[in-house]
Amino acid sequence: QITLKESGPALVKPTQTLTLTCTFSGFSLSTGGVGVGWIRQPPGKALELISLIYWNDDKRYIPSLKSRLTITKDTSKNQVVLTMTNMDPADTATYFCVHKWDYNDYVGDWGQGTLVTVSS
Amino acid sequence: SYVLTQPPSVSVAPGQTARITCGGDNIGSETVHWYQQKPGQAPVLVLYDDSDRPSGIPERFSGSKPGNTATLTISRVEAGDEADYFCQVWDSSSDHMLFGGGTKLTVL
């Protein structure tokens, strides 16, 4: 059974850096084809994939946020970490950690999500 | 950039059929996936590859893609189907995942 759980601050101030950690079980990021990503959803709005990292350290970022995002993996800890710099109130959203296979175009497994509010 | 268009809301009485559309330029050549999201919960994949159901999804959920519109059809709608539904494609031009704006299904 695949599980993913997000952790990180619930509140950050504008201009600060957000660090989110996804801790997962039921699969390994050292297995060929495996990917872990982050999808965010502002309150009442649509979903947006912002970053992905694959088993081979291939990293993807949404172009509009690429300069502010860094995604890394720690295979030994079964964790993926996302950092987002220069946070803005517009970044207020629920951030979901997801599991994806590189040969599929969809997401099969989601974490419960963590709400991050950007406010002074 | 590629845009997926969904109606903001669809309403249907229990037992009737709900149809939720997803439009996009040349969507007929894309593979479409659908997610259900209930309030306060993470999305759940209900259809993948246009019309395939993951394990545990009722047969009442089906998908089609006639012309330039993908459609999620929910037959014999139940109160528990009330949720937001999102379509999704992998946009080959940007090599990135794209979601529609979502449709709120209300069961009257």
Side-chain angles (χ1 to χ4, degrees), chain A residues 19-92:
Chain A
T19 299
L20 292 174
T21 300
C22 174
T23 303
F24 54 85
S25 63
F27 66 94
S28 171
L29 249 179
S30 60
T31 300
V34 171
V36 173
W38 292 92
I39 291 175
R40 72 176 183 177
Q41 184 177 35
K45 295 189 177 180
L47 301 158
E48 181 179 55
L49 173 69
I50 61 173
S51 187
L52 275 169
I53 188 166
Y54 288 107
W55 62 283
N56 57 359
D57 214 37
D58 180 14
K59 301 173 185 179
R60 308 294 180 91
Y61 301 105
I62 189 170
S64 59
L65 296 174
K66 186 173 183 178
S67 63
R68 298 172 51 205
L69 294 174
T70 303
I71 191 168
T72 59
K73 61 182 175 69
D74 187 329
T75 305
S76 65
K77 292 183 178 178
N78 280 352
Q79 289 182 334
V80 167
V81 176
L82 180 76
T83 60
M84 182 183 297
T85 62
N86 195 24
M87 292 292 285
D88 182 271
D91 297 313
T92 294

